[in-house]
Amino acid sequence: MIDTILITLAALALLGVMFEEVLHINKAKITLFFGTLAWMILFISADSPASTDAVNEGLLHNITEISTLWLFLVAAMTFVAYLNRKGLIANMLNLVMPTNISLKKLMLITALFSFCFSSLADNITATLVSIAMVLSLGLPFNQTMRFAVLVVFAVNSGGVSLITGDVTTLMIFMQNKVTITQLFWLLVPSFLAVMVLTGLLSIGMTGKVKIRKTTYATNTIDYVIAGIFLTTIISTLILNVLYAIPPMLTFLAGMAIMFLVANHMGEDDDQDPIMDYIRYIEFDTLLFFLGVLLLVGMLEHIEALHSLLYLYQVFPPLIANYVMGATSALIDNVPLTAALLKANIGMSVSEWMLLTYAVGVGGSLLIIGSAAGIVTMSKVKGLSFARYGKYFLLLLIAYSVGYALVYGVATYIMPGVA
């Protein structure tokens, strides 16, 4: 009975996000309310000290995951807020962009940048930088929408072939289901899927856009901090692979170095204190993350996600993995992948590669299905669940093409896999 109530609360929260424009209630308020209420009900319904301890342990585990993401986001957003407000991103565009460029070519460049950058950096950082670049172009809202959809899909696709690019990819690799060299074979199918979506979104887009090249005055410290940001991204990848240092810790260290360097170079004055840039990050996004992850943690605690494993008893892995990827647009892909790994489902290497692509890219189908989507929704004013949903069919086509290509590569082309 309690499980049914809790699952209903999660469904109501999802509906609240979907109909945000109708209800006129911010999605962060909705998810935070239902997320905290769900855990309170778990505590109230505990019928023994042992049950209470189990709920408390589950909540602490959930809060640890949330705080890790929160702290990482605070550091990454602070870097991007500084670079954006100082005009470094706009200045960078001035160097690489021509004065006039066709919308189709601009979309291609955006896809390439988002895909490649997310292969080097984490998805959240790649999204923040890519969306900042798009917004700096000053395009009409309907065109900005298309670019935003493309960024979400390209960012999620870019990191799927690297253990440093996506958490679920790392989880599957750590369980010895695939090797690093086998994961590299996902690069081509995922890139081609992004090109398919780029082509679909480019249909009907004609004419050229004039890039407004406003040059911002910058100081030496601005370029130093940009260098610290780039070094922090590279260090995050290296330290995580070599010493398993959490990305959150490396980014907080990078932010601290940014503060100290600014102070040392005499740029941290009362008129523009460096630490004030934390105020420019979107705390409603962080609260939305908090609410969503509390709900997902609750579903994981009551083992509601484990019911999805029955899918593999009904359908072959080829179909089940495809559906599981689409499901990850509604349910966080990390606990979803964890449940599948714990179930120890017997699958071939090619089938595990299909799952890796599916859970890494499937979240792009809905705006709330991935961190990239949630960050984008917070940055692009007017981008809602419903407006993003208008592109669902195009996203599904691109996702399906990528999935089919992964199947072909993993089954017929990749050496050593039958």
Side-chain angles (χ1 to χ4, degrees), residues 9 52 59 76-77 90 92 98 112 117 182 207 250 270 318 323 333:
L9 291 179
T52 301
L59 177 61
M77 286 180 168
M92 179 186 69
L112 291 172
F117 192 55
Q182 289 168 344
T250 307
D270 294 335
L318 179 65
V323 175
N333 58 358

Short mmCIF file of all heavy atoms in Angstrom, two decimals, residues 9 52 59 76-77 90 92 98 112 117 182 207 250 270 318 323 333:
data_model
loop_
_atom_site.label_atom_id
_atom_site.label_comp_id
_atom_site.label_asym_id
_atom_site.label_seq_id
_atom_site.Cartn_x
_atom_site.Cartn_y
_atom_site.Cartn_z
N LEU A 9 3.05 9.45 -5.88
CA LEU A 9 3.65 10.76 -5.64
C LEU A 9 4.68 11.09 -6.71
O LEU A 9 4.76 12.22 -7.19
CB LEU A 9 4.30 10.80 -4.26
CG LEU A 9 3.36 10.78 -3.05
CD1 LEU A 9 4.18 10.80 -1.75
CD2 LEU A 9 2.40 11.96 -3.08
N THR A 52 13.42 1.76 10.37
CA THR A 52 13.79 3.18 10.42
C THR A 52 15.27 3.36 10.06
O THR A 52 15.63 4.28 9.33
CB THR A 52 13.52 3.75 11.82
OG1 THR A 52 12.13 3.60 12.13
CG2 THR A 52 13.90 5.23 11.88
N LEU A 59 18.34 7.24 2.88
CA LEU A 59 18.30 8.68 2.70
C LEU A 59 19.70 9.28 2.71
O LEU A 59 20.02 10.14 1.88
CB LEU A 59 17.46 9.32 3.80
CG LEU A 59 17.38 10.86 3.77
CD1 LEU A 59 16.75 11.34 2.48
CD2 LEU A 59 16.59 11.37 4.97
N ALA A 76 31.21 24.16 -11.44
CA ALA A 76 31.19 24.27 -12.90
C ALA A 76 30.41 25.51 -13.34
O ALA A 76 30.84 26.25 -14.24
CB ALA A 76 30.57 23.02 -13.51
N MET A 77 29.26 25.76 -12.72
CA MET A 77 28.45 26.91 -13.09
C MET A 77 29.14 28.23 -12.76
O MET A 77 28.97 29.23 -13.47
CB MET A 77 27.09 26.85 -12.38
CG MET A 77 26.13 25.82 -12.94
SD MET A 77 24.56 25.82 -12.04
CE MET A 77 23.55 24.82 -13.14
N ALA A 90 31.87 35.00 -25.87
CA ALA A 90 31.53 35.81 -27.05
C ALA A 90 32.78 36.14 -27.85
O ALA A 90 32.77 36.10 -29.10
CB ALA A 90 30.82 37.09 -26.61
N MET A 92 35.46 34.37 -28.03
CA MET A 92 35.90 33.14 -28.69
C MET A 92 35.10 32.92 -29.97
O MET A 92 35.65 32.52 -31.01
CB MET A 92 35.72 31.94 -27.76
CG MET A 92 36.12 30.60 -28.36
SD MET A 92 35.74 29.20 -27.28
CE MET A 92 33.95 29.20 -27.32
N PRO A 98 32.39 33.30 -38.84
CA PRO A 98 32.37 34.38 -39.84
C PRO A 98 31.25 35.37 -39.49
O PRO A 98 30.39 35.09 -38.67
CB PRO A 98 32.06 33.64 -41.14
CG PRO A 98 31.30 32.42 -40.71
CD PRO A 98 31.88 32.03 -39.39
N LEU A 112 28.89 19.68 -33.96
CA LEU A 112 30.28 19.22 -33.85
C LEU A 112 30.91 19.69 -32.54
O LEU A 112 31.59 18.91 -31.85
CB LEU A 112 31.10 19.75 -35.03
CG LEU A 112 30.78 19.15 -36.40
CD1 LEU A 112 31.51 19.91 -37.51
CD2 LEU A 112 31.16 17.67 -36.45
N PHE A 117 33.14 18.46 -27.50
CA PHE A 117 33.45 18.99 -26.18
C PHE A 117 32.98 18.05 -25.08
O PHE A 117 33.65 17.90 -24.05
CB PHE A 117 32.84 20.37 -26.01
CG PHE A 117 33.34 21.10 -24.79
CD1 PHE A 117 34.69 21.30 -24.60
CD2 PHE A 117 32.46 21.60 -23.85
CE1 PHE A 117 35.17 21.98 -23.49
CE2 PHE A 117 32.91 22.28 -22.73
CZ PHE A 117 34.27 22.47 -22.56
N GLN A 182 36.50 -1.61 -26.97
CA GLN A 182 35.17 -1.92 -27.50
C GLN A 182 34.25 -0.71 -27.42
O GLN A 182 33.44 -0.47 -28.33
CB GLN A 182 34.57 -3.10 -26.73
CG GLN A 182 35.26 -4.43 -27.05
CD GLN A 182 34.87 -5.54 -26.09
OE1 GLN A 182 34.33 -5.29 -25.01
NE2 GLN A 182 35.15 -6.78 -26.48
N GLY A 207 18.18 30.72 -45.09
CA GLY A 207 18.71 32.05 -44.83
C GLY A 207 19.99 32.02 -44.02
O GLY A 207 20.51 30.95 -43.67
N THR A 250 37.74 17.61 -7.67
CA THR A 250 38.67 18.31 -8.55
C THR A 250 38.12 19.68 -8.97
O THR A 250 38.86 20.68 -9.01
CB THR A 250 38.97 17.47 -9.80
OG1 THR A 250 39.40 16.17 -9.40
CG2 THR A 250 40.06 18.10 -10.64
N ASP A 270 36.42 45.12 -4.09
CA ASP A 270 35.07 45.27 -3.56
C ASP A 270 34.04 45.53 -4.65
O ASP A 270 32.86 45.19 -4.50
CB ASP A 270 35.04 46.44 -2.55
CG ASP A 270 35.87 46.15 -1.31
OD1 ASP A 270 36.06 44.96 -1.01
OD2 ASP A 270 36.33 47.11 -0.66
N LEU A 318 17.83 -7.37 -27.37
CA LEU A 318 17.84 -6.38 -28.43
C LEU A 318 16.69 -5.41 -28.28
O LEU A 318 16.86 -4.19 -28.41
CB LEU A 318 17.77 -7.07 -29.80
CG LEU A 318 17.75 -6.15 -31.02
CD1 LEU A 318 19.06 -5.37 -31.12
CD2 LEU A 318 17.49 -6.94 -32.30
N VAL A 323 14.05 -0.41 -25.27
CA VAL A 323 12.98 0.13 -24.42
C VAL A 323 13.58 0.71 -23.14
O VAL A 323 13.13 1.76 -22.65
CB VAL A 323 11.96 -0.97 -24.08
CG1 VAL A 323 10.92 -0.45 -23.10
CG2 VAL A 323 11.29 -1.48 -25.36
N ASN A 333 19.13 7.30 -15.33
CA ASN A 333 19.79 6.14 -15.93
C ASN A 333 20.81 5.48 -15.00
O ASN A 333 21.16 4.31 -15.20
CB ASN A 333 20.47 6.52 -17.25
CG ASN A 333 21.49 7.63 -17.10
OD1 ASN A 333 21.68 8.16 -16.02
ND2 ASN A 333 22.14 7.98 -18.19
#
